[in-house]
């Protein structure tokens, strides 16, 4: 059993992903502010790397950046900050009575405070032969490097999932000059972020990049040749060639470690407003948690969770975490998408829309009793942040409609208002 021979309490963080990295920053900032160390910190991560910017894996795949450039905390960083870092070995057991965790290698580490930041993994699909070689779930540096290696020698690929991640994967693979077909269950792309019209525009733009689409369809099975994928059969009966497949249909929280050791939770580890789990001295944050029934898939709320937890652990301050609406963007060069709140208007709500099919510009504001409750922008997203602020503030924009749909400037300049009217 390893423990620090010091009088400071021991803080063990399990998981070394994006939110763990942010939590360390928050803890160190408070430590610097106070001029005193509060904990002996140990971080245990399943991946061999230090904390890296997972978001940028799409850009690594698209060859716009490198793995090296996205590692935010390398092994030396932990050492320089006096943080013990155990990498490449997942924690497999928690002993709550005696307060220690054990890694897959059998290493035990004692804790006074334990933080679970185990994130999530790519969801599996119920397709036959999903475990063939060269079928990737898009989540880690290892997945991305594997995809790039296969893509370099392949001529065709199938991407499953027409959400943000699937589209970014398709775009990245298309840059290898291979034929990419994206299969999506819904009738239009980004169906959670865009309405049908904007989704159709997105499809046209991405078709121009050489990507093909099979919408309203699903993978029934993958075909095998010498242990590797060589194609896919769709539920519609259509056959696709594929020497490489990427599955990006959603995420599953890595909550088993917590739930199997008695923490409360349904889909993920249940935490209160202060990131406290149902067990004393065990906190959790990031994509492995559920908070008031909600789970997470984007980093914005995770940063606020890290602030809340650091404030409680270091300063004993109780700053409640509040889940808020977030805006989404797509990281595909040349494609501008902005979406927040509702995507589809409901009975009694007003939709203010402009569409220029030729210029491939589409804008929609959904208004409920004078307030913005949804924003869908395609092609020109310049006023996205402004609409989002108005939505968050719950401001009544009735007086600025319909001019507001032309952008912030039109709603604010009387001259332009006349033109637009
Ligand atoms: C390709 C890609 C693009 C993305 N793009 C965006 C974007 O544009 N915008 C956005 O907001 N979000 C994006 N995301 C989502 C974002 O990356 C996640 O929201 C964020 O990484 C979640 O942080 P986390 O720390 O909770 O989980 P993770 O970053 O997944 O980290 C969890 C870590 O815990 C480790 N772990 C799991 N179990 C154990 C265990 N038992 N013991 C030890 N370690 C363990 C895992 O190996 C992993 O390293 C993207 C994700 C991907 C994959």
């Amino acid at each position: 059993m390893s423990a620090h021979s010091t009088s400071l309490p021991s803080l063990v963080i399990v998981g070394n992903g994006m939110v763990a990295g942010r939590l360390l920053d928050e803890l160190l900032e408070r430590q610097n502010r106070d001029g005193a160390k509060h904990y002996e910190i140990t971080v245990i991560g399943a991946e061999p790397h230090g904390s890296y910017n997972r978001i940028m894996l799409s850009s690594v795949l698209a060859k716009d950046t490198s793995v090296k450039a996205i590692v935010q905390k390398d092994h030396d960083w932990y050492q320089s900050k006096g943080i013990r870092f155990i990498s490449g070995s997942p924690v497999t057991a928690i002993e709550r009575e005696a307060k220690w965790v054990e890694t897959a290698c059998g290493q035990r580490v004692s804790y006074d405070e334990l933080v679970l930041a185990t994130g999530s993994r790519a969801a599996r699909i119920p397709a036959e032969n999903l475990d063939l070689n060269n079928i990737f779930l898009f989540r880690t540096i290892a997945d991305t490097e594997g995809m790039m290696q296969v893509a370099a020698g392949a001529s065709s690929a199938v991407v499953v999932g027409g959400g943000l991640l699937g589209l970014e994967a398709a775009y990245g693979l298309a840059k290898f000059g291979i034929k990419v077909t994206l299969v999506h269950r819904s009738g239009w792309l980004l169906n959670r972020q865009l309405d049908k019209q904007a989704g159709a525009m997105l499809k046209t733009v991405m078709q121009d990049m050489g990507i093909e689409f099979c919408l309203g369809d699903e993978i029934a099975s993958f075909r095998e040749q010498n242990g590797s994928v060589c194609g896919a059969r769709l539920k519609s009966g259509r056959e696709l060639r594929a020497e490489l497949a990427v599955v990006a249909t959603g995420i599953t929280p890595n909550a088993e470690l917590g739930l199997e050791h008695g923490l409360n939770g349904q889909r993920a580890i249940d935490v209160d407003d202060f990131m406290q789990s149902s067990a004393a001295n065990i906190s959790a944050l990031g994509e492995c948690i559920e908070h008031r029934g909600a789970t997470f898939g984007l980093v914005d709320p995770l940063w606020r969770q890290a602030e809340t937890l650091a404030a409680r652990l270091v300063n004993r301050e109780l700053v409640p975490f509040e889940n808020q609406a977030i805006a989404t963007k797509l990281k595909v060069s040349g494609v501008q998408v902005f979406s927040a709140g509702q995507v589809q208007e409901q009975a009694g709500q007003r939709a203010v829309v402009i569409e220029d099919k030729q210029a491939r510009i589409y804008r929609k504001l959904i208004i409920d009793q004078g307030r913005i409750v949804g924003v869908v922008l395609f092609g020109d997203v310049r006023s996205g942040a402004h609409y989002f602020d108005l939505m968050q503030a719950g401001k009544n924009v009735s007086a600025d409609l319909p001019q507001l749909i032309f952008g912030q400037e039109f709603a604010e300049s009387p001259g332009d208002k006349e033109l637009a009217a």
Side-chain angles (χ1 to χ4, degrees):
M1 168 100 53
S2 53
H4 290 275
S5 53
T6 159
S7 54
L8 284 179
S10 142
L11 172 65
V12 173
I13 303 174
V14 178
N16 191 34
M18 293 196 72
V19 82
R22 188 63 165 236
L23 178 64
L24 289 176
D25 292 339
E26 292 286 341
L27 293 170
L28 294 184
E29 193 187 306
R30 283 168 173 77
Q31 178 176 301
N32 291 341
R33 218 185 290 153
D34 298 351
K37 207 170 164 180
H38 299 274
Y39 291 99
E40 289 296 348
I41 303 175
T42 302
V43 178
I44 309 175
E47 291 186 73
H49 319 274
S51 175
Y52 62 88
N53 189 346
R54 196 175 302 284
I55 289 177
M56 295 300 282
L57 288 177
S58 306
S59 308
V60 171
L61 181 67
K63 298 189 236 176
D64 290 331
T65 186
S66 66
V67 165
K68 194 160 178 266
I70 67 166
V71 175
Q72 294 167 319
K73 294 173 173 47
D74 61 15
H75 285 248
D76 290 345
W77 181 89
Y78 295 85
Q79 203 174 11
S80 72
K81 302 292 176 193
I83 296 169
R84 184 169 170 224
F85 179 32
I86 301 170
S87 62
S89 186
V91 167
T92 48
I94 305 172
E95 173 45 64
R96 284 168 48 188
E97 283 290 304
K99 288 191 171 176
W100 48 256
V101 296
E102 187 173 66
T103 69
C105 302
Q107 193 172 359
R108 285 186 182 176
V109 182
S110 296
Y111 67 82
D112 294 298
E113 288 288 343
L114 179 63
V115 174
L116 300 181
T118 48
S120 60
R121 56 186 179 272
R124 290 170 64 86
I125 52 168
E128 241 176 84
N129 288 335
L130 183 64
D131 293 316
L132 291 174
N133 289 335
N134 302 345
I135 300 181
F136 295 91
L137 303 173
F138 192 13
R139 185 73 195 179
T140 62
I141 285 182
D143 298 332
T144 313
E145 287 179 333
M147 284 156 65
M148 293 178 80
Q149 210 175 356
V150 178
S155 59
S156 57
V158 163
V159 174
V160 192
L164 292 163
L165 204 54
L167 289 166
E168 290 174 12
Y171 168 72
L173 291 174
K175 284 183 85 179
F176 282 78
I178 58 185
K179 181 173 180 291
V180 179
T181 308
L182 187 145
V183 180
H184 185 44
R185 192 164 58 172
S186 167
W188 68 88
L189 298 173
L190 285 189
N191 52 294
R192 290 206 187 155
Q193 287 84 12
L194 301 180
D195 62 7
K196 201 172 174 180
Q197 289 91 321
M201 256 183 204
L202 173 60
K203 182 179 162 197
T204 312
V205 170
M206 294 202 67
Q207 276 169 332
D208 288 350
M209 296 175 179
I211 298 165
E212 289 186 15
F213 294 94
C214 298
L215 301 183
D217 213 340
E218 288 176 65
I219 305 280
S221 60
F222 288 104
R223 273 187 293 117
E224 183 236 336
Q225 194 172 37
N226 303 326
S228 297
V229 66
C230 68
R233 168 182 266 272
L234 306 189
K235 288 196 172 164
S236 62
R238 196 170 161 189
E239 296 275 350
L240 299 172
R241 269 175 52 79
E243 295 137 78
L244 160 67
V246 178
V247 178
T249 53
I251 52 175
T252 304
N254 288 324
E256 292 82 357
L257 180 68
L259 300 184
E260 285 167 10
H261 289 88
L263 302 188
N264 288 351
Q266 298 291 323
R267 286 179 298 162
I269 301 165
D270 190 35
V271 296
D272 66 12
D273 291 348
F274 310 101
M275 307 292 112
Q276 170 78 56
S277 79
S278 56
N281 307 107
I282 304 183
S283 308
L285 78 175
E287 286 187 357
C288 65
I289 67 157
E290 59 185 58
H291 170 261
R292 296 177 183 245
T295 51
F296 302 87
L298 294 168
V299 291
D300 230 46
L302 274 48
W303 299 162
R304 288 180 285 107
Q305 292 173 8
E307 279 171 31
T308 291
L309 181 54
R312 175 164 65 78
L313 289 177
V314 174
N315 308 111
R316 310 284 154 209
E317 266 176 51
L318 294 180
V319 186
F321 165 74
E322 277 173 49
N323 202 4
Q324 295 166 356
I326 25 177
T328 43
K329 291 178 196 137
L330 179 67
K331 302 192 296 296
V332 169
S333 168
V335 184
Q336 304 283 321
V337 169
F338 183 97
S339 163
Q342 267 178 243
V343 169
Q344 210 61 62
E345 59 277 19
Q346 290 161 5
Q349 294 179 331
R350 174 181 178 187
V352 185
V353 179
I354 50 171
E355 182 175 16
D356 181 338
K357 280 196 174 129
Q358 212 165 11
R360 290 172 179 170
I361 289 174
Y362 179 83
R363 289 167 162 234
K364 177 162 90 172
L365 293 178
I366 303 174
I367 311 292
D368 192 342
Q369 296 181 23
R371 289 173 178 80
I372 299 176
V373 292
V375 184
V376 175
L377 304 179
F378 186 85
D380 176 1
V381 299
R382 277 174 298 178
S383 295
H386 179 58
Y387 294 146
F388 186 64
D389 288 347
L390 293 173
M391 185 175 106
Q392 289 294 84
K395 193 167 179 257
N396 194 314
V397 295
S398 303
D400 289 330
L401 291 174
Q403 290 88 340
L404 188 60
I405 195 72
F406 293 98
Q408 186 174 3
E409 316 76 42
F410 275 87
E412 285 170 359
S413 132
D416 286 345
K417 268 187 181 178
E418 276 160 33
L419 270 178

